[in-house]
């Protein structure tokens, strides 16, 4: 595309060879294409929102979407798109349950199999248990809002 061009030549010139202006692109290219596919009135900025929404639906976290859109902070991204992240609490809870089960520590978390349970007094703080780092108790975490009556412990 740029091979053989002089350094001062434009990479994307207008039909007349001058600078391609956003308004010319909209008028000459984008708007007619949108009308042809039945989306008259579509604006390029709407495609930005669509891309962000699709990325979130595909599992992108807020930092990825922030970088993709060039937002200065994740706060701005959350202010605009935070409502799209709300329904993921159950998904996260399910993944945590699956991870605990596959790591073989689910009985330790639930107390469901006392033969596999290791008492805190038999384990030094920071000792590894089946690939997981033990953390000394520091109190209880408050209940997570949004999970309702669903819990990880059956």
């Amino acid at each position: 595309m740029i091979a053989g061009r002089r350094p001062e030549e434009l990479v994307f010139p207008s039909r007349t060879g001058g600078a391609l202006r956003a308004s010319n692109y909209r008028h000459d290219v984008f708007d007619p294409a949108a009308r042809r596919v039945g989306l008259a009135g579509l604006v390029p900025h709407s495609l930005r929102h669509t891309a962000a929404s699709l990325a979130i639906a595909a599992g992108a976290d807020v930092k990825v979407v922030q970088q993709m859109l060039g937002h200065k902070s994740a706060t701005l991204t959350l202010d605009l798109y935070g409502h799209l992240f709300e329904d993921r609490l159950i998904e996260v809870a399910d993944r945590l349950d699956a991870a605990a089960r596959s790591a073989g520590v689910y009985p330790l978390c639930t107390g469901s199999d006392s033969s596999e349970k290791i008492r805190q007094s038999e384990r030094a703080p920071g000792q590894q248990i089946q690939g997981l780092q033990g953390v000394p108790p520091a109190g209880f975490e408050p209940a997570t809002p949004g999970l309702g009556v669903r819990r990880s412990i059956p």
Side-chain angles (χ1 to χ4, degrees):
M1 174 169 278
I2 60 173
R5 291 184 184 255
R6 295 185 316 268
E8 67 275 4
E9 286 185 86
L10 297 171
V11 176
F12 298 103
S14 69
R15 285 190 259 162
T16 61
L20 180 61
R21 307 268 183 242
S23 59
N24 292 345
Y25 175 76
R26 280 280 311 273
H27 183 267
D28 295 343
V29 179
F30 188 86
D31 290 345
R35 281 193 298 275
R36 278 195 301 274
V37 297
L39 296 173
L42 179 70
V43 295
H45 196 78
S46 296
L47 299 177
R48 176 181 171 87
H49 293 300
T50 300
S53 300
L54 290 172
I56 292 166
D61 64 51
V62 69
K63 290 299 286 181
V64 170
V65 179
Q66 173 200 351
Q67 290 174 335
M68 186 175 109
L69 299 176
H71 289 163
K72 184 175 182 177
S73 72
T75 302
L76 175 60
T77 306
L78 282 171
D79 286 346
L80 294 172
Y81 301 103
H83 64 285
L84 298 175
F85 289 97
E86 288 178 1
D87 63 348
R88 300 185 67 203
L89 285 174
I90 298 301
E91 177 186 336
V92 170
D94 289 342
R95 286 184 182 178
L96 286 171
D97 280 346
R101 289 177 195 275
S102 68
V105 296
Y106 195 77
L108 296 173
C109 299
T110 64
S112 64
D113 183 356
S114 60
S115 65
E116 292 184 33
K117 190 172 183 179
I118 298 174
R119 289 190 200 102
Q120 181 69 30
S121 62
E122 297 174 350
R123 177 170 47 92
Q127 178 184 354
Q128 289 227 347
I129 298 176
Q130 298 182 20
L132 294 179
Q133 181 75 25
V135 178
F140 293 100
E141 287 187 288
T144 303
L147 290 179
V149 295
R150 184 179 175 110
R151 291 174 179 75
S152 333
I153 301 172

